[in-house]
Each structure stands twice: as C-alpha cells, then as structure tokens.
Amino acid sequence: MIRLWRTQAATLALPARFDEVLQPLLDRIEASALFSEESCSFSQKDLLASLQMWADKARLRLSNHSAAQT
C-alpha cells in the first residue's frame, strides 16, 4: 500500500508541500506496521486519519486546479 501511495502521489500535479507532508506520514505508517496494535509511538488510527486528511486536501486541490483550467 505504501509503495502504491508513493508511486501514485508522485504522478499528481500537486505543490511540493504535499509531498513534504506525505512522505514522513507514509514513513510512520510503514513503521507502525511493525506493531499489531496501537502503541504510544504509533497510533494507526491517527496515522490513517492524517492520511485521509491529506487525500481530502489533495483531492480538493486537484479538483480546484482542473476546474480553473476549464
């Protein structure tokens, strides 16, 4: 999943700041996979919520960008 996110995100026409936020988030999600449950270092629920927020903002940015081009 992480590899797919990295590959697909790189193809999006998003500002560099989106990648700066996404890469550390994906790193933390990848590291959290070592734990089977929530831990004090990695809350999988919080990490996935952050990833969802990133995706929502990216979707909004891309839809606004494409609407501006038409």
Side-chain angles (χ1 to χ4, degrees):
M1 178 186 92
I2 299 299
R3 192 175 315 128
L4 181 61
W5 268 91
R6 290 187 200 282
T7 303
Q8 295 300 313
T11 65
L12 300 174
L14 292 169
R17 181 69 184 134
F18 277 82
D19 192 55
E20 293 168 11
V21 171
L22 180 63
Q23 294 309 318
L25 180 59
L26 292 177
D27 289 344
R28 289 193 309 271
I29 291 171
E30 197 169 34
S32 76
L34 299 173
F35 301 98
S36 61
E37 299 177 10
E38 298 284 313
S39 78
C40 57
S41 300
F42 296 102
S43 168
Q44 292 176 348
K45 185 188 308 182
D46 290 345
L47 289 172
L48 292 176
S50 295
L51 186 59
Q52 182 64 55
M53 185 178 359
W54 182 94
D56 292 343
K57 289 182 179 189
R59 187 178 304 112
L60 180 63
R61 177 69 180 236
L62 291 169
S63 67
N64 287 343
H65 181 70
S66 65
Q69 289 182 338
T70 57

